[in-house]
Amino acid sequence: DQQVKQNSPSLSVQEGRISILNCDYTNSMFDYFLWYKKYPAEGPTFLISISSIKDKNEDGRFTVFLNKSAKHLSLHIVPSQPGDSAVYFCAAKEIQGAQKLVFGQGTRLTINP
Amino acid sequence: EPEVTQTPSHQVTQMGQEVILRCVPISNHLYFYWYRQILGQKVEFLVSFYNNEISEKSEIFDDQFSVERPDGSNFTLKIRSTKLEDSAMYFCATTGTGFSEQYFGPGTRLTVT
């Protein structure tokens, strides 16, 4: 039951350009969405989040866009830097209940110099 | 910056043995979670814990698993009789309010032989 999907297992972007990572969800009860970054042998690191009452949230080089009608969100990184190379996970949770996170499969982002 | 810590970083055990994975949450956080990631798969929710009791658990979290906060600081995950399929990275996560982002520890790699 893949409630959160990241359809691109990998993405390669040139340094300085924009990286766009996509995520789709099926559960209409999700109303809080997060992006995590993960390096090998480390835990996921929180990057940015967005509530369902918003359609955009920005933090420095990172911007998350939410399209509720399409059940789609995206993470934009601009400009992309070599240190951004990692696996990026989209996650979602319902505001009710214990707020467990449901993760997508991840997208491996590689920034090329 | 406060962080979640986990011990051990790597645990090797024989099938049928008991293991205890330990987590030290961020000090003022009240909600605690365990997730796992089998190699090459997505991060999966196991259990959430609040106010000294389980709030929610997944289908994975069967009778072989238990959690407790024995001394008010550590948060532990016990697997009573490990199976080969329990081999995975186990991540502890904590959050202050339950409505915000979760912060993850570096993980414990469990290898069952």
Side-chain angles (χ1 to χ4, degrees):
Chain A
D1 177 21
Q2 294 191 50
Q3 298 186 65
V4 179
K5 298 180 188 179
Q6 293 175 257
N7 291 317
S8 298
S10 63
L11 176 67
S12 187
V13 175
Q14 196 168 4
E15 182 179 358
R17 298 290 185 99
I18 183 171
S19 295
I20 300 176
L21 297 102
N22 294 303
C23 178
D24 297 294
Y25 62 96
T26 57
N27 186 345
S28 56
M29 298 300 290
F30 288 148
D31 54 9
Y32 194 71
F33 304 90
L34 308 91
W35 284 94
Y36 284 84
K37 173 180 179 180
K38 187 179 181 304
Y39 293 117
E42 293 186 12
T45 301
F46 169 72
L47 270 179
I48 192 168
S49 61
I50 188 167
S51 164
S52 60
I53 62 173
K54 295 186 175 182
D55 56 17
K56 177 183 174 181
N57 188 25
E58 198 171 347
D59 184 3
R61 297 186 298 115
F62 302 94
T63 303
V64 56
F65 295 91
L66 175 63
N67 182 334
K68 280 191 69 178
S69 60
K71 293 191 175 68
H72 177 83
L73 63 155
S74 61
L75 174 68
H76 292 209
I77 306 173
V78 56
S80 300
Q81 299 174 354
D84 295 331
S85 295
V87 177
Y88 288 78
F89 290 97
C90 170
K93 65 180 181 179
E94 301 177 26
I95 206 71
Q96 301 298 324
Q99 297 92 40
K100 68 180 183 185
L101 293 179
V102 180
F103 283 85
Q105 304 95 312
T107 296
R108 181 177 301 279
L109 175 65
T110 302
I111 307 300
N112 303 307
Chain B
E1 183 177 324
E3 59 182 20
V4 179
T5 59
Q6 290 185 242
T7 55
S9 57
H10 190 190
Q11 174 87 50
V12 181
T13 189
Q14 288 190 326
M15 194 168 53
Q17 296 296 303
E18 174 183 288
V19 295
I20 298 175
L21 311 182
R22 292 183 168 81
C23 167
V24 178
I26 294 172
S27 63
N28 60 344
H29 283 190
L30 301 175
Y31 294 79
F32 314 115
Y33 308 82
W34 284 101
Y35 294 82
R36 79 173 186 188
Q37 185 183 27
I38 295 172
L39 187 63
Q41 298 186 22
K42 63 170 67 178
V43 177
E44 301 174 287
F45 168 79
L46 291 178
V47 66
S48 59
F49 190 84
Y50 170 70
N51 201 24
N52 286 320
E53 60 182 31
I54 290 174
S55 309
E56 186 175 0
K57 58 185 180 180
S58 71
E59 293 176 352
I60 303 167
F61 195 89
D62 61 22
D63 292 344
Q64 293 300 312
F65 291 85
S66 63
V67 289
E68 64 175 357
R69 200 162 184 229
D71 55 11
S73 59
N74 289 292
F75 177 51
T76 62
L77 173 69
K78 181 192 291 186
I79 310 175
R80 290 189 182 83
S81 179
T82 50
K83 297 177 272 201
L84 294 176
E85 54 264 38
D86 293 328
S87 294
M89 283 291 289
Y90 287 81
F91 296 107
C92 171
T94 73
T95 187
T97 66
F99 295 99
S100 57
E101 58 272 13
Q102 295 175 17
Y103 292 89
F104 284 74
T108 292
R109 178 172 298 284
L110 176 65
T111 302
V112 182
T113 61

